[in-house]
Amino acid sequence: NAGVTQTPKFQVLKTGQSMTLQCAQDMNHNSMYWYRQDPGMGLRLIYYSASEGTTDKGEVPNGYNVSRLNKREFSLRLESAAPSQTSVYFCASSEQGFTEAFFGQGTRLTVV
Amino acid sequence: GNSVTQMEGPVTLSEEAFLTINCTYTATGYPSLFWYVQYPGEGLQLLLKATKADDKGSNKGFEATYRKETTSFHLEKGSVQVSDSAVYFCALSDHRSGANNLFFGTGTRLTVIP
C-alpha cells in the first residue's frame, strides 16, 4: 500500500552542491511528474514523463534534470543548488488520460 | 493557455459553517477539473473531480459542479468540521501529448475553529 514514495523527506544543501531526489511508484502508472511548491504560488510543474523513456519540460525546468529510470522510478537532479531552489518538492504519478494524480509526501529542501 | 484562479485565503470559519472556495479556469480544450486537499505535513490527496461540463464531483460532504458557461468549479460544504482544516487546491488537467499535466491554483488555506 505504498503508492508514491519519495526520498529523502528533508535535506539541507549548501549553494553549489548537487543532489538527486528519488521517487518510486508501485501503481504501474505510465505518467510521472515533479512539482515544486512555494508559498503563494501553488504547485508548478518542473518536468514530467508521459511514459517510460520520455521526459519533457514543464513550467520551471531551469536548474533541474530528470531521469525516468524505468516505469517505477523518476528522479530529479539538482546539479548546482541555488537558494532559489529552496522549496518543497512533490513527485506524482497517474495513468495516461484524465485520471487523478497520486502524490508523494514531499521533500523539503533548503539551500543555504 | 491553461490556468486556474483560486480564491485568496486564508479562510477562517467556525465549526458547522458553510464553506465556499471559488475557482475559475482558462483552458484551450475541454479539461477535467479537480480539487485536491493537503493536510499539514502531508502530500496532496484527491478530494473530488469532474470530467465534463455539468458533472458534479462529491466526497466527504464536499461538492463542486463543472460549469462550462462560467468556467468555474467552486468547492462547497454545508457544515465544516475542525478536521477539514487544510489547504485546498483547484486544478485542471491538460491532455496534450498523452500526459495528464495538472495546472494548479495557488491554494486556499482553511482553518475551522471549534
Side-chain angles (χ1 to χ4, degrees):
Chain A
N1 195 25
V4 179
T5 304
Q6 286 182 238
T7 55
K9 287 188 169 47
F10 301 94
Q11 183 72 50
V12 178
L13 290 179
K14 293 182 179 179
T15 298
Q17 287 185 317
S18 62
M19 80 163 293
T20 300
L21 281 64
Q22 306 287 352
C23 175
Q25 52 94 5
D26 62 3
M27 295 171 284
N28 202 36
H29 285 162
N30 288 306
S31 301
M32 297 186 74
Y33 315 85
W34 277 105
Y35 289 89
R36 59 178 289 174
Q37 183 183 27
D38 300 295
M41 302 193 75
L43 278 77
R44 292 180 293 168
L45 184 65
I46 304 171
Y47 271 93
Y48 68 95
S49 171
S51 60
E52 185 179 354
T54 68
T55 60
D56 285 286
K57 294 178 180 179
E59 185 183 353
V60 288
N62 291 344
Y64 305 95
N65 285 301
V66 290
S67 295
R68 183 74 183 266
L69 303 169
N70 48 54
K71 193 170 186 180
R72 289 187 64 248
E73 298 173 288
F74 188 39
S75 62
L76 178 73
R77 183 160 178 83
L78 287 70
E79 290 291 350
S80 178
S84 61
Q85 294 178 305
T86 294
S87 187
V88 181
Y89 291 85
F90 288 101
C91 177
S93 71
S94 72
E95 285 293 331
Q96 286 179 321
F98 44 83
T99 57
E100 68 181 280
F102 293 80
F103 285 80
Q105 290 199 309
T107 297
R108 185 173 294 277
L109 174 67
T110 302
V111 182
V112 298
Chain B
N2 297 302
S3 66
V4 174
T5 302
Q6 202 176 322
M7 174 179 171
E8 293 284 335
V11 174
T12 301
L13 295 174
S14 297
E15 207 165 20
E16 300 184 1
F18 185 85
L19 168 71
T20 300
I21 301 177
N22 290 337
C23 172
T24 57
Y25 68 89
T26 302
T28 52
Y30 298 94
S32 294
L33 301 174
F34 305 84
W35 277 100
Y36 281 83
V37 58
Q38 184 180 29
Y39 298 104
E42 298 185 10
L44 280 72
Q45 304 170 26
L46 180 68
L47 181 60
L48 55 83
K49 66 180 181 183
T51 58
K52 60 183 187 299
D54 299 325
D55 269 2
K56 178 186 281 189
S58 61
N59 186 26
K60 300 181 181 180
F62 291 90
E63 292 183 340
T65 301
Y66 187 164
R67 301 282 189 205
K68 186 166 177 286
E69 64 275 15
T70 55
T71 61
S72 65
F73 193 56
H74 305 320
L75 182 68
E76 296 182 336
K77 187 176 186 183
S79 177
V80 294
Q81 305 300 313
V82 172
S83 57
D84 294 327
S85 298
V87 181
Y88 293 82
F89 292 92
C90 185
L92 70 83
S93 68
D94 170 11
H95 314 311
R96 291 178 299 121
S97 306
N100 188 19
N101 304 327
L102 282 171
F103 295 84
F104 285 88
T106 55
T108 302
R109 181 177 298 279
L110 170 67
T111 301
V112 181
I113 55 178

